[in-house]
Amino acid sequence: MADAEYTPPAVWTWDPGNGGPFASINRPTAGAQQDKELPVGQHPFQVYSLGTPNGQKVTIMLEELLEAGHSGAEYDAWMINIGQGDQFGSGFVALNPNSKIPAMLDRSGDKPIRLFESGAMLLHLADKFGAFIPQDPAARAEVLCWLMWQMGSAPFIGGGYGHFYHYAPVKIEYAINRYAMETKRLFDVTNNRLKEARFLGGDDYTIADMAAFPWLGNLYAGNAYGNTREFLQLDQYEAVGRWVEEIKERPAVQRGRIVNTAKMPERHSAADFDKVESQ
């Protein structure tokens, strides 16, 4: 049965109670809502995040850099509880005026560099350490295309499909169908690419894979949005499954995925992972 037709008013007004479980933190304005400075640790990189797919991208990258021997990539990771509105503190907004995780401060040089948007952070780190991105112009362009593809695609999966299928207080058939179709199309794009290449950028594992894996891997494994794996029949994307299985076995990926989660709210050294394993 079709959903009841909605006629938009001439002028939109904000209903603070609208938005389901995110109603308390979503609003049509930007900027700091409270004075709250950010903690600072001793390492060159300070990460302020949460272990969501977007947050995992950056901690996976930092752990991969450390795994590869880049000791200069040591970092402190501090949890930003978006459910409690930590992203609207003055210190966080100074790093990211968009008030979304992740955000990062690079203190490795003479002047601190603020970074926001996960794709920008991955590219900054890849260029800084000369790792996980090709130097050949054509190969680099291919990786950047897939990185930007993921950045543009994530809102359709999370804010579109995930919201309307799983979080929305009212199930809207048109919205669910629209974003289910788009999410399956994105999986098909990925599957077709991974039939012809080992990784998204080609033969080598790169920041393009680090960006896409937390999103596609979570859905493929059935770890996101309720019954999504069955609802979208994700097991039919066999090349995606092969890629997910390979990446999830990487030790750095396993470490990066638990940073800023209930298992490890903060990360300040490699020894913190030993504490998790001993629990």
Side-chain angles (χ1 to χ4, degrees):
M1 183 175 68
D3 301 305
E5 185 174 350
Y6 166 68
T7 302
V11 177
W12 180 83
T13 57
W14 175 45
D15 175 4
N18 189 24
F22 305 104
S24 63
I25 60 173
N26 287 340
R27 60 192 62 203
T29 58
Q33 299 173 14
Q34 56 183 309
D35 289 327
K36 186 176 182 180
E37 294 303 311
L38 293 172
V40 179
Q42 63 178 346
H43 295 306
F45 295 93
Q46 300 296 301
V47 177
Y48 304 94
S49 190
L50 188 65
T52 66
N54 281 337
Q56 289 175 15
K57 298 176 192 177
V58 178
T59 49
I60 286 173
M61 175 59 165
L62 288 164
E63 290 296 331
E64 290 282 12
L65 288 168
L66 293 170
E67 182 85 6
H70 298 282
S71 59
E74 265 296 350
Y75 69 103
D76 295 283
W78 308 89
M79 179 181 278
I80 298 297
N81 190 325
I82 61 175
Q84 296 180 3
D86 291 349
Q87 70 274 33
F88 300 115
S90 56
F92 189 87
V93 174
L95 276 187
N96 185 356
N98 195 38
S99 293
K100 302 289 184 182
I101 62 93
M104 182 170 70
L105 188 66
D106 178 355
R107 305 188 305 163
S108 62
D110 295 335
K111 183 179 180 180
I113 299 172
R114 78 169 185 180
L115 293 150
F116 58 94
E117 291 298 326
S118 56
M121 295 162 72
L122 290 175
L123 183 57
H124 175 82
L125 290 169
D127 285 341
K128 186 178 186 70
F129 291 98
F132 301 110
I133 190 167
Q135 298 305 304
D136 172 74
R140 178 185 172 90
E142 184 72 19
V143 169
L144 291 180
C145 285
W146 286 106
L147 175 64
M148 300 307 166
W149 168 82
Q150 192 285 320
M151 297 296 294
S153 299
F156 289 99
I157 296 175
Y161 170 76
H163 179 78
F164 286 108
Y165 176 73
H166 188 66
Y167 293 116
V170 176
K171 301 304 182 191
I172 303 172
E173 181 181 4
Y174 175 84
I176 292 172
N177 287 341
R178 169 68 178 86
Y179 288 109
M181 177 182 67
E182 180 63 10
T183 299
K184 284 184 68 66
R185 190 191 70 81
L186 293 170
F187 265 85
D188 206 39
V189 170
T190 312
N191 202 61
N192 289 340
R193 171 57 176 165
L194 294 173
K195 286 179 181 178
E196 64 185 19
R198 181 180 176 188
F199 297 106
L200 288 175
D203 294 334
D204 298 321
Y205 172 71
T206 69
I207 56 174
D209 302 289
M210 297 179 206
F213 170 77
W215 280 100
L216 301 183
N218 273 357
L219 268 68
Y220 187 85
N223 296 329
Y225 309 140
N227 191 44
T228 283
R229 179 176 170 82
E230 179 182 2
F231 182 66
L232 297 182
Q233 297 181 288
L234 297 183
D235 57 350
Q236 68 184 268
Y237 304 105
E238 295 180 358
V240 174
R242 183 266 305 163
W243 172 80
V244 167
E245 288 300 315
E246 179 171 359
I247 293 177
K248 78 176 187 180
E249 294 302 318
R250 297 179 68 91
V253 171
Q254 294 174 7
R255 294 195 300 271
R257 293 180 79 184
I258 66 172
V259 176
N260 295 143
T261 68
K263 288 185 177 181
M264 184 185 289
E266 296 181 8
R267 185 271 188 208
H268 303 291
S269 76
D272 291 333
F273 294 102
D274 297 331
K275 299 175 187 177
V276 173
E277 293 174 359
S278 65
Q279 291 177 359

